Amino acid sequence: MSMRCTLGVDIGTSSSKGVLVAADGTLLASATRQHEVDRPRSGWVEMDATVWWSEFVSLARELLETVPDASVAGVGISGMGPCVLLCDDDDVPVRPAILYGVDTRAGEQIDRMNTDLGVDEIARVGGSQLSSQAAGAKIAWVADEEPEAWARARRLYMPASWLARKLTGAYVLDHQSASQTSPLYDVEAEAWHESWWQRYAAPVEAPPLAWAGDIAGGVTAEAAATTGLAEGTPVIVGTIDAWTEAVSVGAHEVGDLMLMYGTTMFLVATGDETLRTPSMWTTAGAFPGTRNLAGGLSTSGALTAWIAGLTDADYPQLLAEAAESGPGARGLVTLPYFAGERTPIQDPDARGVIAGLTLEHGRGDLYRSALEATALGVRHNVETMRAAGADLRRIVAVGGGTQGELWLQIVSDVTGLVQEVPAITIGASYGAAFLAAAAVAERAGAALPLITEWNPVIRTITPDSATRERYDALFDRYLRLYEASKSVVHELAAEQRSRA
């Protein structure tokens, strides 16, 4: 007897993940493919987009072999973003995909757009000021810097929309992803800003827009033969991974804040009003009628992985030594800006700083300070969101970093926030599978699944009041250290670029 389920696949920064999920939310099987991004120059972060499709195919086939009686009712997709993948008329990429805000190459284009259009008008139309997260500026960079590639560019994709195209033949982009293609999307009109698209993105065809949970189409005969999926299987439009992760843990209602613990850290606050603040990202939500105020650290898990590689120690060792180090890491404070920083300082030329080092400090202190640095970055974002008027009623944690206790506890202690942790924290692939299940149920006129039943909260992390005073002082030093070191690290960043 066949088992009805949905397939969810997410293309992430350091890996792609796939899951098969039963109709009641039970995780039947999961699989992962590791990959690396390319960093050809300082500030550039790219990826060969053909990997996205090859890994989807590999994951789908492995999962279907693992659960041979699986009957896939729908396919969910998501991916990192906002990315810029430009393709020609035959859907051949004209260059590697330019990744999201960790890629900081488009500074000159941002300056020109601000001059041409006006900073206030850009924020009025798109909701946010331009930053390294703005995909529209990266499209303009290709037009300026790579004319041969630009001459062939005809379509714009992100990881999820690329998979939708390969699976169904549909050319479509979800509203949430489009709203991060700043300044080319009008957030209140929920539509492309036609005159600005023509000014900066012509001759690329603007993708038709839909919502993340809408059905893009059915699996084509060609895609079915390649993937092992049945021809005609519905595929959703999908969206950016952070928003799909929010769906996976039910953190997409008004008043919710999702914290995504991954290679980078991401925060998504959901409301029903458009909130604007210069240092955060105002976007359309994953669902009609919602708006998000979002932020992201450029490093989190990437920073801890860097320390693990540098010290040649495994994570259990480092975590044990970090716990022994204790709050404050024996007098260290770290700025986690090892890849520049996104929100709330919006400074691509920021760099990592470790202050207070002595010969007595060890790797456990460094690791503890790195964990605290990401927590301090989260607090900086949360306080900025609240100052903008965000009503944060509920915090939900998701991602690979939620598996242990220490990192979660440090974030709660530093921010003063209670965090809820659901049963399944595998992330965006699970959320994509849920969106597919909901889309298929809606099409059939059946009862919609509930994420609270699929994935209930099983842990709550409560701040330790005994650490509050120490972390308040550390947060003050964190803010002052950035201001005090900024001029020096900007000079170093310029030197790094000159040597690239």
Side-chain angles (χ1 to χ4, degrees), residues 6-94:
T6 50
L7 169 69
V9 173
D10 172 66
I11 308 297
T13 306
S14 57
S15 65
S16 295
K17 300 181 180 68
V19 293
L20 280 178
V21 183
D24 63 356
T26 300
L27 184 64
L28 301 175
S30 64
T32 302
R33 296 291 182 272
Q34 300 293 330
H35 56 236
E36 295 183 357
V37 299
D38 297 319
R39 301 177 186 271
R41 296 188 187 180
S42 178
W44 291 25
V45 188
E46 303 182 344
M47 192 170 178
D48 176 2
T50 61
V51 172
W52 304 344
W53 175 240
S54 66
E55 291 189 344
F56 178 93
V57 171
S58 175
L59 288 166
R61 287 199 165 276
E62 178 180 336
L63 291 167
L64 291 172
E65 290 173 4
T66 302
V67 187
D69 59 346
S71 174
V72 177
V75 178
I77 46 180
S78 75
M80 57 188 164
C83 300
V84 172
L85 172 63
L86 296 171
C87 292
D88 64 16
D89 282 324
D90 297 319
D91 282 328
V92 176
V94 303

Side-chain angles (χ1 to χ4, degrees), residues 422-455:
I424 296 174
T425 59
I426 196 170
S429 56
Y430 188 80
F434 174 82
L435 286 175
V440 171
E442 184 175 27
R443 172 181 276 188
L448 297 180
L450 299 175
I451 195 63
T452 51
E453 295 179 358
W454 269 41
N455 196 16

Side-chain angles (χ1 to χ4, degrees), residues 236-446:
I236 64 166
V237 173
T239 188
I240 292 174
D241 54 7
W243 279 259
T244 318
E245 293 223 30
V247 170
S248 78
V249 293
H252 53 80
E253 302 295 334
V254 173
D256 287 349
L257 174 67
M258 181 212 64
L259 283 181
M260 182 184 79
Y261 292 74
T263 305
T264 65
M265 183 82 79
F266 213 88
L267 306 89
V268 179
T270 300
D272 53 10
E273 296 181 3
T274 303
L275 298 178
R276 291 173 167 86
T277 184
S279 58
M280 307 296 288
W281 305 315
T282 299
T283 73
F287 302 101
T290 59
R291 295 287 182 270
N292 295 130
L293 194 59
L297 280 65
S298 291
T299 64
S300 55
L303 176 55
T304 59
W306 177 77
I307 292 176
L310 202 64
T311 59
D312 197 27
D314 60 30
Y315 287 109
Q317 285 178 300
L318 288 169
L319 285 166
E321 292 171 14
E324 185 177 349
S325 177
R330 298 199 302 136
L332 297 182
V333 58
T334 296
L335 301 182
Y337 311 145
F338 284 58
E341 188 53 294
R342 296 188 286 173
T343 63
I345 64 172
Q346 300 283 15
D347 185 357
D349 285 345
R351 292 294 182 266
V353 176
I354 305 173
L357 279 170
T358 70
L359 295 175
E360 283 72 42
H361 285 105
R363 65 189 182 190
D365 303 312
L366 288 172
Y367 198 75
R368 174 83 188 208
S369 189
L371 295 176
E372 291 177 343
T374 63
L376 292 162
V378 170
R379 177 168 171 175
H380 200 182
N381 277 274
V382 165
E383 294 194 359
T384 305
M385 286 178 165
R386 283 181 165 155
D391 178 16
L392 305 181
R393 307 172 199 166
R394 179 170 174 262
I395 315 301
V396 186
V398 67
T402 62
Q403 298 306 307
E405 292 291 330
L406 181 61
W407 197 2
L408 287 167
Q409 188 64 55
I410 288 172
V411 170
S412 279
D413 290 348
V414 167
T415 62
L417 298 172
V418 174
Q419 295 179 84
E420 296 180 358
V421 184
I424 296 174
T425 59
I426 196 170
S429 56
Y430 188 80
F434 174 82
L435 286 175
V440 171
E442 184 175 27
R443 172 181 276 188

